[in-house]
Amino acid sequence: MLKSDFYYDLPEELIAQTPIEPRNFSRMMKVDRKSGEIEHSHFYNLCNFLKEGDLLVMNDSRVLPARLYGEKEGTGAFMEFLLLEQKGDKLWEILVRPGKKAKPGAKFSFGNGRIKAEIIETAEDGSRIAKFDCEGNFFTALEDVGQVPLPPYITEKLENKERYQTVYSRELGSSAAPTAGLHFTKEMLSDLQCKGINLAYVTLHVGLGTFRPVKEDDILDHKMHSEHYYFPQKTADLIKNTKANGGRVIAVGTTSCRTLESVASFNNGEIRECEGYTDIFIYPGYEFKVLDGLITNFHLPESTLIMLVSAFMGYENTMNAYKTAVEEKYRFFSFGDSMLIL
């Protein structure tokens, strides 16, 4: 398949710049996975489409305040760091801007010296490895000094940093939010459990590679960026019980989906506790091993995320749903509306 097969025309005004309040008042398009039939609703009605014994699997990763603004020691030149992944004790893979000022040996200061960094090496893709130093706990300092990195298509300032975190986030490590979960409120999660809907958690730390554009015309030539995941035994047991009792396993977001399918793929179909890295690329033709349903947002044209959705509910159904979403003026991307595929 070609990258261009997944293009759709999106008016810029449909790209959501601010989150809906309350969180669960976003619109929700329910799509029948087999027939493609569409029903329009709101996220607070999610329970009406679920059955007692269904299982929602959520990614509890928390977004790092990974954007740092500071200066180069000695010259005072402005510098921006974006933390991507921890590589060792005090070592991080980062993106830098402007790159010409960040050669090995260069030193930088952030938050009036609260955090300091030295460039150790330059990677082939242009990213850097930097060694950080600070007084006290690094993550505490990062919470004080850093800023949550919003996607580039969001140009308005976010007044409340917690709105780019899910209400169940707890494992710090993502460069971007698992945005399908942004629609849930704590009250809604409690209500779902009271009605017999079970909740389970996985952790996949979202890397910026997930959102890098597909450059190759043939999607089979695209290489996914590797991301760290942890899959607990408690979640494995809940999935097994759900399947055994005729319930449905519904992933909240493409990151949860990729974690579930990675675990099943890596362990010969066995669902058990494990941890590691995954670069699984799900596109049409993929045979799902765990998933029965998916909650997701509306994704960028020609992205690996819309390819995943197409794999789950069929190419024609997906492109028709997106065409309908544009016609009905749904809100798109991270702060946009939701899609429920069952």
Side-chain angles (χ1 to χ4, degrees):
M1 301 188 81
L2 300 178
K3 176 179 70 171
S4 57
D5 292 334
F6 299 90
Y7 177 80
Y8 66 93
D9 190 27
L10 178 67
E12 189 173 341
E13 63 267 20
L14 296 186
I15 300 174
Q17 293 296 318
T18 55
I20 286 284
E21 296 293 349
R23 289 174 180 257
N24 60 348
F25 271 56
S26 57
R27 295 169 72 189
M28 183 177 72
M29 177 188 289
K30 191 268 180 181
V31 187
D32 186 289
R33 180 185 176 192
K34 294 180 180 177
S35 69
E37 184 179 346
I38 291 171
E39 185 175 343
H40 302 290
S41 187
H42 286 84
F43 198 78
Y44 51 71
N45 290 323
L46 174 65
C47 192
N48 296 342
F49 299 97
L50 304 180
K51 299 182 296 185
E52 183 177 350
D54 283 345
L55 177 68
L56 296 178
V57 182
M58 305 174 173
N59 181 7
D60 64 6
S61 182
R62 186 169 175 82
V63 184
L64 283 164
R67 179 163 277 130
L68 291 167
Y69 297 107
E71 58 185 36
K72 185 176 182 180
E73 292 187 359
T75 67
F78 173 82
M79 176 59 66
E80 178 185 348
F81 277 20
L82 182 63
L83 278 62
L84 298 181
E85 183 181 356
Q86 190 167 10
K87 293 296 187 180
D89 184 31
K90 299 183 178 181
L91 294 176
W92 285 79
E93 180 185 0
I94 62 170
L95 294 178
V96 296
R97 188 169 60 182
K100 62 183 180 181
K101 299 183 186 298
K103 297 177 180 178
K107 296 182 178 181
F108 302 90
S109 176
F110 306 92
N112 295 318
R114 179 88 184 273
I115 295 176
K116 297 195 173 193
E118 179 181 353
I119 303 298
I120 303 300
E121 63 178 275
T122 301
E124 288 184 9
D125 63 0
S127 64
R128 268 66 165 179
I129 301 296
K131 184 175 183 179
F132 287 85
D133 194 21
C134 72
E135 290 186 14
N137 183 276
F138 175 72
F139 291 102
T140 301
L142 194 62
E143 288 280 3
D144 294 339
V145 176
Q147 296 186 23
V148 171
L150 294 177
Y153 49 75
I154 295 177
T155 56
E156 292 194 23
K157 184 179 179 182
L158 183 63
E159 298 299 329
N160 176 9
K161 288 198 296 186
E162 281 301 307
R163 280 305 271 109
Y164 194 58
Q165 306 278 13
T166 63
V167 296
Y168 48 80
S169 65
R170 55 192 171 198
E171 299 296 335
L172 200 60
S174 278
S175 298
T179 54
L182 294 179
H183 305 281
F184 288 95
T185 65
K186 289 182 178 179
E187 295 76 15
M188 188 173 174
L189 292 174
S190 296
D191 289 344
L192 287 167
Q193 287 180 297
C194 288
K195 293 173 181 176
I197 312 301
N198 296 310
L199 308 179
Y201 298 92
V202 298
T203 303
L204 183 137
H205 292 316
V206 187
L208 291 181
T210 301
F211 305 102
R212 283 178 179 156
V214 177
K215 295 180 180 179
E216 295 79 6
D217 289 331
D218 186 339
I219 68 170
L220 298 184
D221 294 331
H222 176 69
K223 181 75 172 77
M224 291 286 283
H225 189 78
S226 184
E227 296 166 315
H228 183 262
Y229 72 89
Y230 170 64
F231 185 81
Q233 187 60 41
K234 183 178 180 181
T235 296
D237 294 339
L238 280 165
I239 290 172
K240 290 174 186 176
N241 290 339
T242 300
K243 294 283 191 181
N245 294 320
R248 297 173 295 183
V249 176
I250 300 162
V252 178
T254 57
T255 59
S256 297
C257 166
R258 292 175 62 243
T259 305
L260 291 171
E261 294 299 319
S262 294
V263 170
S265 298
F266 296 163
N267 299 308
N268 296 318
E270 183 185 357
I271 305 297
R272 59 176 170 82
E273 180 176 9
C274 55
E275 183 175 8
Y277 285 84
T278 180
D279 61 357
I280 190 171
F281 180 18
I282 297 175
Y283 52 86
Y286 177 85
E287 292 188 13
F288 286 84
K289 301 166 183 62
V290 183
L291 227 62
D292 301 306
L294 177 65
I295 296 171
T296 188
N297 283 15
F298 292 92
H299 304 294
L300 276 74
E302 300 184 335
S303 65
T304 60
L305 305 179
I306 193 174
M307 295 171 192
L308 183 153
V309 173
S310 297
F312 187 63
M313 72 168 181
Y315 175 77
E316 296 294 339
N317 289 344
T318 300
M319 301 313 291
N320 180 62
Y322 271 71
K323 178 175 178 289
T324 302
V326 170
E327 291 171 349
E328 297 293 328
K329 300 194 182 316
Y330 274 70
R331 302 166 84 245
F332 280 68
F333 306 163
S334 294
F335 286 145
D337 293 317
S338 178
M339 178 188 286
L340 170 64
I341 308 167
L342 290 174

